Amino acid sequence: MPAILRTKSPVSPTLFQHTLANGMVLIAERMEHVRSAAFNFLIPGGSAYDPPDQRGIGGILAEMIVRGAGSRNHRELTALLNSLGTDRSESTGRIALHLGCSMLARHLPAVLEVYADILRRPHLPPEELPAVQSLALQDLDSLEDNPSSQVRVELYHCHFPPPLHQDSYGTAEGIRAVTPESLRHHYERCVKPNGIILAVAGDIQWELLRDTVERLFGDWPAGPLPELSIGSHIPHSRHLAKDTHQTHIAFAYPSVPVHHPQYYAARAAEAILCGGMSSRLFMEVREKRGLCYTISLSHKTFRHLAAIVGYAGTSADRAQQTLEVTLSELQRLAEGVTLDEVDRVKAGLKSGLIMQQESTNTRASIMASDWFFLGRVRTYDEMQQIIDQLTADMILEHVRACPCEPITVVTLGPHPLTLPAHCHPYQTSLPPLAS
């Protein structure tokens, strides 16, 4: 077994970190009020890493990697994980491939044994690839029946630079181009121990967990990691022409990434605008005027850039007014916020922290994300203190330093909308969608 490279003393009595000699990172938090455990493997193999001619291969790998590993075929592997009472998930984000699993804490070592096979010795059975490709194509086709998702997917293409604009759906041509050989190559290119973060939360015994991970992964050789080169991009708006009774509006404007000192001020500004039934957008756009049936905002962060992403679904005849009122409310935020609004969003952010502490799955996911973005894990007390210190002046300082413009707008419906001057103009050289 390789020598231990580093085991940090916990920053809290329940939070631990250890780096294997091959570069794999293990972070863990003991949650004494639960009897379960959950882990999340974060692997640099998200859709941004898909080759241009095989868009969608990351999503196919997420499905194929659990279809047999080590000495077990697909059926045997699934039966074993079921017998251990696991609740597992595999997903592909923009940056990372996520493998998550929860179980009773006493089964954690046995489940990690299985996942060591999945990560290090996957079968990626060629005979099952056509079925997985068929599922991926069906998932892609389903966008046609889900315009709210379709408009969000297109928003990323219009707003973010390549390859961050690539989504896990891929393209029909890219999905069909995947072969058993190219899938194996993509796995070998992306899945390396020195790129993996393993986060574990729950009723854990730290020394046993650390030694188990060392035994299972410590002799896995490190290797070169794929590079992610961010290309140049000029954001633009777009209208997707479709003969529907509804118009779907998605928009995005710059914000600050998670490591920025104003990150929580940005999250507070987002919550004032659209964080519950008392938020400005909900009240002004939906409740008072009845312009739309749904409206939302979320914060999307990458390592060095971020955006506030919004969506509104409305009838075609109210779409123009919905857009105008929504954008007006975004700009009006710079005029001031009330103490009641600040108190409300602080309570909401702290409530979210408490709920995160109730779920081992959520906590493991957040820990992996923290380490990826920050190189450390934030404690509950640290985040609560930051939220407690938020003031109206801090929120306004962020809003004025990071105004909600220029805005990228993507619309889907029967007619394009008239975009205000502070929006990126529509790009008109693109073909319309088929009805």
Side-chain angles (χ1 to χ4, degrees), residues 377-395:
V377 176
R378 297 168 295 179
T379 65
Y380 170 83
D381 289 341
E382 175 189 356
M383 290 185 284
Q384 180 173 256
Q385 183 178 14
I386 293 172
I387 293 169
D388 283 336
Q389 292 172 349
L390 282 172
T391 65
D393 287 342
M394 293 169 67
I395 297 169

Side-chain angles (χ1 to χ4, degrees), residues 182-393:
S182 66
L183 183 63
R184 175 64 62 175
H185 173 75
H186 190 68
Y187 157 77
E188 292 173 349
R189 171 175 168 256
C190 295
V191 186
K192 307 283 181 62
N194 43 313
I196 292 177
I197 300 167
L198 169 57
V200 187
D203 184 18
I204 60 128
Q205 299 178 43
W206 168 242
E207 291 80 7
L208 173 61
L209 173 62
R210 181 197 60 200
D211 294 346
T212 298
V213 171
E214 275 283 359
R215 175 174 58 82
L216 296 173
F217 298 97
D219 63 347
W220 189 4
L225 294 172
E227 295 183 1
L228 200 62
S229 178
I230 307 302
S232 60
H233 178 67
I234 299 176
H236 59 273
S237 298
R238 186 187 178 192
H239 176 67
L240 307 176
K242 197 167 187 179
D243 187 16
T244 61
H245 296 294
Q246 287 80 37
T247 293
H248 302 266
I249 304 168
F251 56 90
Y253 57 90
S255 187
V256 294
V258 67
H259 57 76
H260 195 281
Q262 291 185 343
Y263 171 72
Y264 272 100
R267 293 293 308 276
E270 170 204 333
I272 289 172
L273 287 167
C274 202
M277 294 184 180
S278 299
S279 62
R280 294 190 182 187
L281 289 178
F282 190 90
M283 293 298 299
E284 294 296 327
V285 183
R286 189 182 187 279
E287 293 295 289
K288 290 184 180 179
R289 294 175 173 84
L291 291 175
C292 65
Y293 54 86
T294 184
I295 189 163
S296 63
L297 286 182
S298 62
H299 187 275
K300 180 62 182 179
T301 185
F302 298 103
R303 267 196 169 132
H304 303 298
L305 59 93
I308 298 295
V309 176
Y311 168 79
T314 183
S315 59
D317 60 330
R318 296 180 178 229
Q320 185 65 48
Q321 189 180 3
T322 297
L323 177 65
E324 292 171 358
V325 174
T326 298
L327 299 187
S328 175
E329 285 301 313
L330 297 182
Q331 292 191 307
R332 193 172 69 85
L333 185 61
E335 298 174 6
V337 299
T338 68
L339 292 179
D340 284 346
E341 287 177 319
V342 175
D343 289 342
R344 175 178 60 79
V345 299
K346 288 167 69 171
L349 290 171
K350 287 193 287 187
S351 176
L353 289 180
I354 292 171
M355 287 187 284
Q356 291 169 13
Q357 295 298 115
E358 298 295 321
S359 167
T360 55
N361 266 321
T362 302
R363 184 57 181 154
S365 178
I366 290 172
M367 289 164 61
S369 179
D370 269 4
W371 193 270
F372 177 80
F373 286 114
L374 304 172
R376 65 185 186 88
V377 176
R378 297 168 295 179
T379 65
Y380 170 83
D381 289 341
E382 175 189 356
M383 290 185 284
Q384 180 173 256
Q385 183 178 14
I386 293 172
I387 293 169
D388 283 336
Q389 292 172 349
L390 282 172
T391 65
D393 287 342

Side-chain angles (χ1 to χ4, degrees), residues 44-90:
S47 55
Y49 291 94
D50 288 359
D53 60 342
Q54 296 190 38
R55 293 270 311 279
I57 194 172
I60 290 175
L61 178 59
E63 175 71 29
M64 288 286 289
I65 199 169
V66 293
R67 294 197 170 208
S71 62
R72 302 176 182 92
N73 61 27
H74 185 190
R75 180 179 298 178
E76 292 166 339
L77 189 68
T78 301
L80 176 58
L81 289 173
N82 287 343
S83 72
L84 291 168
T86 61
D87 181 11
R88 61 184 180 87
S89 64
E90 301 83 38

Side-chain angles (χ1 to χ4, degrees), residues 38-42 89 97-101 197-200 361 364-365 368:
F39 59 72
N40 186 292
F41 284 96
L42 188 153
S89 64
L97 167 66
H98 298 269
L99 301 183
C101 193
I197 300 167
L198 169 57
V200 187
N361 266 321
S365 178

